[in-house]
Amino acid sequence: MLFSYPLMAVVQEISARIGRTTGRGIAGNMRKYYPNWLLQSVVLLLLIANTINIGADLGAMGDALKLIVGGPALAYAVAFGVISVILQIFLKYTRYVSILKWFTLSLFAYFATVLVVSVPWADVARGMLIPKFTAGANFWTSVVAILGTTISPYLFFWQASQEVEDEKAKPERQPLKDAPEQTENAVERIRLDTYVGMAFSNIVALAIMITAGATLHAHGVTDIQSTSQAAEALKPVGGNFAFIIFAVGVIGTGLLAIPVLAGSAGYALGEARKWPVGLDRKPLEAKAFYATIAVATVVGVGLNFTPINPIKALYWSAVVNGVVAVPVMAVMMAMTARPDIMGKATVPLALRVVGWVATVVMAAAAVVMIGQLIRG
């Protein structure tokens, strides 16, 4: 997580710059400037991964609420899915964004959890600063999965599209390609927002990993099949407070993640199909866009009524994201150097270099993983 931070932050900044500069999302630019087969392939894989992710998140949220209040976990999963769809479709964009910002406070639950469990901090520091590499398929699959949750295609599509949404919501903002005089202020805002946000994201991820390592793994619990199993295993070693806070964190994180997953799917498919898109539009103005959000969420809900294990689904959707990210990042990096796409607001060379390094790292991890899986 420590070494991935600069890579993920730069890639997210580049995503935001593409949206802010061109007035289009990632898929919209791919449709205009790149082969259709590439766009359709990326969008299809994104839809599959996002839908699985939504289903796993809803299942986890249902499990977590059951732990706190009792009752049927599946009914709670359905309710969370319905609430998410209703908020995205019928709530005004600016109001919805403010609600999502408040949901981020739930992530502090993971900080609270790590503070109340016994953590060998010297071991944590060594693990963070001196990474260990092994040749096994399990290790490299985990590496790709972790990269796929931090440097993930749905985040690229969401961030670029939110810059476009903000342009629509604030008439004084224009695409930087057409208004280069706005570049300096826009870039400063994007950079601050992105680097602080990605740092917070990484710290939350570390808190979760540290808590799991110091409690579950340290007590031999290494095969987690559900959120409730994780929380129940945490209870004897972390106490009731850690148990409840962990469950609350799962619910809050899901409420924050599901709109991003469903929304990025809507943006990607909508831009690829030339549909009217945007959470600022009324439902009847962007029927197909909102239908995509609803269908992705409904199918995600449906996955919880199948024998598919939600934890394994979440894990393998992250692996898919880690692989799909590679061609998307390569296209994004190519976009940043093209004056016909970016105008005079092309991305600086230093940023492009780090972006290409991130792309190469993701590609190398995916290649090694596939090689190890084939080798068996």
Side-chain angles (χ1 to χ4, degrees):
M1 299 307 298
L2 186 65
F3 295 103
S4 70
Y5 170 68
L7 305 183
M8 66 186 291
V10 164
V11 173
Q12 287 304 125
E13 180 184 346
I14 288 171
S15 303
R17 280 177 176 248
I18 290 173
R20 182 69 178 86
T21 300
T22 65
R24 297 187 191 88
I26 303 295
N29 281 297
M30 288 181 69
R31 187 193 74 234
K32 184 172 182 179
Y33 296 103
Y34 293 90
N36 184 60
W37 65 265
L38 177 61
L39 170 63
Q40 301 303 332
S41 300
V42 166
V43 170
L44 176 62
L45 290 172
L46 179 76
L47 289 173
I48 293 171
N50 281 19
T51 302
I52 294 172
N53 219 325
I54 289 169
D57 281 341
L58 288 170
M61 293 162 69
D63 273 349
L65 188 56
K66 178 183 177 181
L67 290 172
I68 298 172
V69 301
L74 285 176
Y76 296 147
V78 173
F80 281 128
V82 171
I83 291 169
S84 178
V85 170
I86 289 174
L87 289 175
Q88 284 184 279
I89 294 177
F90 296 105
L91 201 63
K92 188 177 179 182
Y93 169 71
T94 50
R95 178 61 178 158
Y96 188 55
V97 168
S98 67
I99 289 176
L100 290 182
K101 289 177 180 178
W102 280 107
F103 278 155
T104 61
L105 294 177
S106 65
L107 300 177
F108 283 101
Y110 295 115
F111 298 137
T113 306
V114 81
L115 291 175
V116 298
V117 299
S118 178
V119 176
W121 289 107
D123 292 340
V124 170
R126 278 193 296 271
M128 285 179 60
L129 299 173
I130 310 172
K132 297 178 181 179
F133 295 90
T134 64
N138 287 341
F139 173 81
W140 284 101
T141 305
S142 296
V143 169
V144 173
I146 291 171
L147 291 174
T149 61
T150 53
I151 307 175
S152 185
Y154 76 86
L155 295 174
F156 311 157
F157 284 90
W158 176 262
Q159 182 122 2
S161 296
Q162 288 310 291
E163 287 295 329
V164 178
E165 291 277 15
D166 285 346
E167 283 183 13
K168 295 176 183 177
K170 300 174 182 177
E172 69 275 10
R173 291 186 183 177
Q174 300 175 35
L176 301 181
K177 185 176 180 179
D178 302 324
E181 69 278 0
Q182 296 183 10
T183 300
E184 184 177 352
N185 289 336
V187 168
E188 286 180 3
R189 174 189 56 80
I190 287 171
R191 185 164 290 163
L192 177 64
D193 180 51
T194 303
Y195 283 68
V196 171
M198 292 300 101
F200 185 57
S201 167
N202 256 23
I203 294 170
V204 169
L206 279 170
I208 295 169
M209 292 178 180
I210 291 168
T211 300
T215 56
L216 307 181
H217 192 272
H219 288 77
V221 182
T222 58
D223 185 20
I224 298 296
Q225 299 294 320
S226 68
T227 307
S228 58
Q229 183 187 351
E232 290 287 3
L234 181 65
K235 193 173 183 178
V237 294
N240 280 328
F241 179 76
F243 166 77
I244 293 173
I245 290 297
F246 177 84
V248 170
V250 170
I251 295 170
T253 304
L255 290 171
L256 187 63
I258 289 171
V260 178
L261 289 161
S264 61
Y267 284 119
L269 184 60
E271 291 183 344
R273 299 291 183 180
K274 299 183 181 180
W275 296 337
V277 299
L279 293 170
D280 64 319
R281 295 178 183 270
K282 294 180 179 179
L284 294 180
E285 296 174 342
K287 294 188 288 291
F289 168 73
Y290 285 116
T292 302
I293 291 174
V295 169
T297 307
V298 169
V299 174
V301 169
L303 291 177
N304 288 281
F305 291 86
T306 70
I308 296 174
N309 180 287
I311 298 296
K312 285 186 170 60
L314 194 61
Y315 179 79
W316 285 104
S317 68
V319 174
V320 171
N321 277 327
V323 175
V324 176
V326 177
V328 179
M329 290 166 67
V331 171
M332 286 169 49
M333 297 315 304
M335 285 182 192
T336 60
R338 290 182 54 168
D340 59 326
I341 298 177
M342 303 292 286
K344 294 181 179 180
T346 53
V347 175
L349 177 61
L351 214 58
R352 296 207 306 271
V353 168
V354 178
W356 277 113
V357 168
T359 306
V360 171
V361 168
M362 295 285 286
V367 168
V368 173
M369 177 196 72
I370 292 169
Q372 292 294 332
L373 290 172
I374 292 173
R375 187 177 298 177

